[in-house]
Amino acid sequence: MMTGRPGESSRDRVGQLRIWYPAVGSTMDVAADLARRGAPHGTVVRADVQTAGRGRQGRTWTAAPGSALLASWILRYSGGQEDVGALSPLVALAVARALNRMIPNAPIGIKWPNDVLIGGRKAAGVLLTSRATPAGMVVIAGTGINLQTEAICEGIVATSLSEWKATVPADQALDAVADSLGQVWCSFAERGSLKVEEVDEIESLLACRNEVVTLESGDGMLTGTLEGIAADGSLLLRTSATAAAVRIRTGEIVRGPRPTAPMSRDGCRILS
Ligand code: BTN
């Protein structure tokens, strides 16, 4: 369990120390460097511009200056590496809750493991890295939220908050994510997995739930019905090969039930 000053929870400390840069290569690298130099749990690094922004699966992440919330959060965890997979959908849930506060009633969804959608289009992405140290795990959670349409590269199918009539300054978006990340972090730090209510909430937002999808995982391509998620963050896929649902810990949904759907910003098919 994280320790802090008496009466202070790890929730209170998420986003308490904020470091802003006009431009960096990637906030992931700046945060990792600060963490190595002892920056406390909850420190967040935000930049207006990234010249070498990264996405999942080795992709790049680009956004016009000031058009997106580009932030990386230093999260210190005393449990083991095996728990960190749960953070993928959990951080996505935190971002989804933050978006819901900024645009109430918008059709927000989560595409496993950690894309956040509005109206079926990607509005935010999460990138996680983790490193074991003698003092525990250091997780860097990168969150990129498209605030304005300029955040979206030409030819990419994605969405932004401004397309949903929300004008949200980056600082305000940061406040909302800090709050919801602090909320989910609190129980994760205690138990190392998702709470039942969090599993339920993620499943209620899950794109393609109960639909046939194709997943690219370490074991190759798998097709089956997307049933839900487990408390360790893995995806439950019912294939014809086994009676019980298969648990997928890492992977990517590459094809949904509508294979002719357009490509999203991360090169995946838009599934709904
Ligand atoms: C993805 O959907 O592929 C993940 C995108 C994560 C982008 C954010 S922006 C802030 C942080 N810095 C980076 O270089 N990447 C993450």
Side-chain angles (χ1 to χ4, degrees):
M1 198 204 305
M2 294 293 309
T3 52
R5 288 197 297 271
E8 184 189 52
S9 73
S10 55
R11 172 182 185 170
D12 297 329
R13 283 179 286 136
V14 173
Q16 200 174 70
L17 182 58
R18 300 175 181 197
I19 301 168
W20 169 83
Y21 290 86
V24 294
S26 164
T27 56
M28 300 301 285
D29 297 332
V30 179
D33 187 47
L34 285 171
R36 265 190 296 272
R37 293 195 276 136
H41 168 77
T43 301
V44 59
V45 175
R46 177 170 93 71
D48 286 346
V49 178
Q50 294 187 126
T51 53
R54 294 197 293 276
R56 292 181 66 237
Q57 314 271 346
R59 289 185 284 261
T60 56
W61 182 272
T62 47
S67 63
L69 175 68
L70 308 168
S72 293
W73 309 78
I74 298 173
L75 303 170
R76 295 186 182 272
Y77 175 58
S78 58
Q81 174 76 53
E82 64 281 3
D83 299 341
V84 170
L87 279 175
S88 249
L90 199 57
V91 176
L93 176 63
V95 172
R97 285 180 180 170
L99 292 188
N100 189 47
R101 274 175 52 194
M102 295 184 263
I103 344 172
N105 305 319
I108 290 166
I110 292 177
K111 181 182 153 208
W112 185 89
N114 50 23
D115 285 350
V116 184
L117 317 174
I118 310 179
R121 295 183 174 207
K122 185 161 170 171
V126 173
L127 178 66
L128 290 177
T129 65
S130 60
R131 184 171 64 90
T133 75
M137 299 296 303
V138 177
V139 176
I140 309 290
T143 50
I145 301 180
N146 301 335
L147 299 176
Q148 295 161 23
T149 309
E150 293 73 29
I152 303 164
C153 300
E154 214 179 303
I156 300 284
V157 181
T159 191
S160 65
L161 271 62
S162 62
E163 281 184 9
W164 293 83
K165 309 277 176 273
T167 307
V168 181
D171 274 341
Q172 195 182 319
L174 194 78
D175 282 344
V177 178
D179 199 51
S180 53
L181 195 52
Q183 207 173 41
V184 297
W185 183 264
C186 229
S187 63
F188 174 81
E190 299 277 344
R191 66 177 66 213
S193 60
L194 306 179
K195 292 196 290 188
V196 174
E197 306 82 59
E198 289 164 344
V199 169
D200 289 349
E201 190 176 344
I202 293 169
E203 287 186 333
S204 74
L205 299 173
L206 210 52
C208 293
R209 186 153 187 231
N210 299 322
E211 293 176 11
V212 174
V213 296
T214 297
L215 263 151
E216 196 175 81
S217 75
D219 306 328
M221 304 288 253
L222 267 177
T223 297
T225 304
L226 195 166
E227 285 200 334
I229 65 160
D232 65 358
S234 53
L235 189 81
L236 301 174
L237 192 75
R238 185 167 297 276
T239 66
S240 51
T242 53
V246 181
R247 280 176 179 234
I248 318 273
R249 290 205 69 133
T250 56
E252 180 137 5
I253 298 170
V254 289
R255 217 168 298 138
R258 288 165 34 201
T260 53
M263 301 293 268
S264 74
R265 84 175 290 160
D266 63 352
C268 295
R269 302 277 171 190
I270 297 292
L271 300 172
S272 55

